[in-house]
């Protein structure tokens, strides 16, 4: 069994936690298609932790095939400020297929990133669960202790949404994680239509410290289709860092091109504090 305790965590530093507003405003993830991988049979009980969706019922899901790896990027060379950058650069989420109950919840979404704050709000319907995105590390690159204590608790349940509103924005994307920044060059990207809304959940058995819960409960990401130039093929080893999944084996993942961009949003005018 692989346990988080066996990870070689760097010595603690003096990193302060970012505010929910600062972390979410600059949390942009580029999602790459990965080589097929089916994890061992794993059943999880998920509870919504964002205030807007906290009345939705607890749901049990089974991890299906891994579909994506979502990694942190900066848009148009807009580098997140510290201390948010110290945490964002280590937020890597592996996304697995799931199924579940259709909720048909109506929501109004507002962009949080400064580049898009002037865009109009959009109305969507939250439909059927499609993916669960969970925190991993790449090639055993373990973040500092304070960073690990937060990013290991970021679990996002991704629902299909309608309508598929177009964004139609041309961006430049730059890798922020130290494993990928030397490999994947800064590149152009055309952001197209919205496909999913990924909302924060807590897995049964995962005890989230209060100061961390106050931050991760505000991470809502809207995923848009993405078109980029051809990018280098990258082979990685992924390890789960959430306590509930730490016993799963390491996974090999070959990235075969970016397919989506996840952008931070607020729901129904409930903006992250800070």
């Amino acid at each position: 069994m692989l346990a988080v305790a066996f990870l070689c965590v760097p010595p603690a530093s003096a990193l302060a936690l970012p505010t929910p507003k600062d972390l979410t405003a600059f949390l942009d993830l580029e999602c790459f298609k990965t080589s097929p991988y089916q994890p061992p049979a794993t059943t999880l009980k998920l509870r919504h932790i964002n205030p807007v969706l906290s009345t939705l019922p607890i749901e049990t899901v089974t991890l299906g095939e891994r579909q994506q790896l979502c990694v942190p990027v900066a848009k148009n060379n807009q580098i997140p400020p510290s201390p948010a950058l110290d945490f964002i650069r280590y937020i890597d989420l592996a996304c697995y297929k799931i199924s579940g109950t259709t909720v048909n919840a109506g929501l109004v979404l507002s962009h949080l990133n400064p580049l898009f704050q002037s865009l109009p709000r959009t109305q969507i319907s939250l439909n059927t669960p499609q993916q669960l995105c969970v925190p991993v590390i790449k090639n055993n690159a373990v973040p500092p202790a304070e960073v690990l204590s937060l990013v290991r608790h970021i679990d996002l349940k991704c629902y299909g949404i309608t309508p598929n509103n177009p964004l139609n924005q041309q961006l430049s994307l730059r890798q922020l994680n130290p494993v990928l920044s030397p490999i994947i060059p800064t590149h152009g990207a055309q952001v197209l239509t919205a496909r999913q809304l990924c909302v924060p959940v807590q897995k049964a058995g995962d005890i989230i410290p209060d100061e961390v819960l106050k931050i991760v409960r505000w991470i809502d990401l809207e995923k848009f289709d993405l078109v980029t130039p051809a990018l280098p093929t990258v082979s990685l080893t992924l390890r789960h860092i959430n306590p509930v999944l730490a016993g799963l084996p390491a996974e090999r993942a070959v990235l075969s091109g970016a397919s989506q961009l996840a952008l931070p949003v607020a729901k129904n005018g409930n903006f992250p504090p800070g």
Side-chain angles (χ1 to χ4, degrees), residues 14-37:
L15 290 176
L17 288 174
T19 66
K21 178 181 178 180
D22 287 344
L23 182 80
T24 57
F26 294 94
L27 181 54
D28 301 300
L29 301 181
E30 187 173 23
C31 297
F32 288 79
K33 293 176 288 186
T34 68
S35 50
Y37 175 78

Side-chain angles (χ1 to χ4, degrees), residues 113-186:
N113 188 278
L115 283 178
F116 293 151
Q117 279 181 339
S118 61
L119 294 179
R121 298 183 177 190
T122 56
Q123 293 188 340
I124 61 106
S125 176
L126 196 68
N127 298 328
T128 304
Q130 297 177 342
Q131 290 180 323
L132 181 66
C133 298
V134 300
V136 294
I137 58 170
K138 305 188 302 293
N139 294 357
N140 290 315
V142 184
E146 291 95 337
V147 176
L148 181 64
S149 70
L150 186 148
V151 301
R152 71 195 295 195
H153 298 291
I154 298 174
D155 292 299
L156 302 181
K157 189 178 183 182
C158 300
Y159 290 79
I161 59 174
T162 52
N164 301 124
N165 296 306
L167 192 66
N168 293 333
Q169 296 283 327
Q170 182 70 39
L171 299 172
S172 172
L173 300 180
R174 172 182 169 184
Q175 298 294 318
L176 293 177
N177 183 272
V179 173
L180 292 181
S181 57
I183 304 173
I184 298 178
T186 300

Side-chain angles (χ1 to χ4, degrees), residues 24-25 27-28 50 107-113 116 122 124 161 167 196-200 217-224 262-272:
T24 57
L27 181 54
D28 301 300
N50 183 270
L107 298 170
V108 177
L109 304 183
S110 307
H111 282 281
L112 295 179
N113 188 278
F116 293 151
T122 56
I124 61 106
I161 59 174
L167 192 66
Q196 292 179 326
L197 180 66
C198 300
V199 299
R217 70 188 307 191
W218 294 101
I219 297 175
D220 293 297
L221 300 178
E222 189 175 17
K223 287 167 75 174
F224 294 81
L263 301 174
V265 293
K267 304 189 303 292
N268 294 359
N270 284 258
F271 291 89

